Amino acid sequence: MAYLNKIQLIGNCGRDPEFRQFPSGDEVASFSLAVTKRFKNREGEVKDFTSWFPITVVGKSVEFVRKFITKGAVVYVEGESVNGSYTNAQGVKVQTNEVRATNIQLIGRPAHEDAPAGDAPTPAHQDAPAPRYEDPNDLPF
């Protein structure tokens, strides 16, 4: 039997990334990604529902995150769901879930940033090209 663990998200970076370094020297970047779904309720009112995803980036892509990803940036993230757990200071077991990014691309910069022309970053990981959506109505969700 075949199994699949793949997540694709397009959303806004909810906070500036945080960076940590392990004793081995390897780095990890983490940030939250807000993905908003717009819908009409039964009364016909347009509503937004936002889901938040914790994103973890390891390996060579950390430098890409450090250079280009800031709060508010529109980001494409492809990765896998990783579950874990730890015991907190009170001795309670806490379950965790995060998206471990295998491909991350900057789609747009925050509105407050004025990036010079030609300063477009290259994707951090290019195993599979990410879709580019110019019109929000073309989004697959």
Side-chain angles (χ1 to χ4, degrees):
M1 177 181 269
Y3 297 95
L4 177 66
N5 180 356
K6 185 172 186 173
I7 295 174
Q8 294 178 307
L9 302 167
I10 296 176
N12 293 87
C13 184
R15 60 179 165 82
D16 285 334
E18 295 176 3
F19 300 91
R20 297 183 313 275
Q21 190 168 32
F22 295 109
S24 66
D26 293 336
E27 278 192 297
V28 62
S30 60
F31 60 92
S32 57
L33 191 71
V35 178
T36 301
K37 176 183 178 180
R38 182 161 284 171
F39 64 96
K40 285 187 181 181
N41 66 13
R42 291 181 182 176
E43 290 78 35
E45 300 170 312
V46 176
K47 298 286 186 175
D48 289 339
F49 178 79
T50 301
S51 296
W52 290 89
F53 296 87
I55 309 295
T56 301
V57 181
V58 296
K60 295 178 182 178
S61 298
V62 171
E63 195 54 40
F64 177 85
V65 171
R66 183 184 315 283
K67 191 171 181 181
F68 294 109
I69 306 301
T70 58
K71 180 180 179 178
V74 181
V75 180
Y76 167 81
V77 174
E78 183 177 312
E80 61 185 3
S81 177
V82 178
N83 299 312
S85 65
Y86 67 92
T87 304
N88 68 16
Q90 292 75 33
V92 177
K93 188 173 184 177
V94 178
Q95 299 293 321
T96 63
N97 188 8
E98 65 186 22
V99 175
R100 179 97 27 94
T102 56
N103 182 0
I104 183 166
Q105 295 183 24
L106 178 66
I107 294 178
R109 294 188 181 276
H112 65 276
E113 282 192 37
D114 294 321
D119 191 25
T122 56
H125 185 72
Q126 296 186 15
D127 279 352
R132 299 280 182 182
Y133 299 103
E134 300 299 327
D135 181 356
N137 295 323
D138 290 338
L139 293 175
F141 51 87

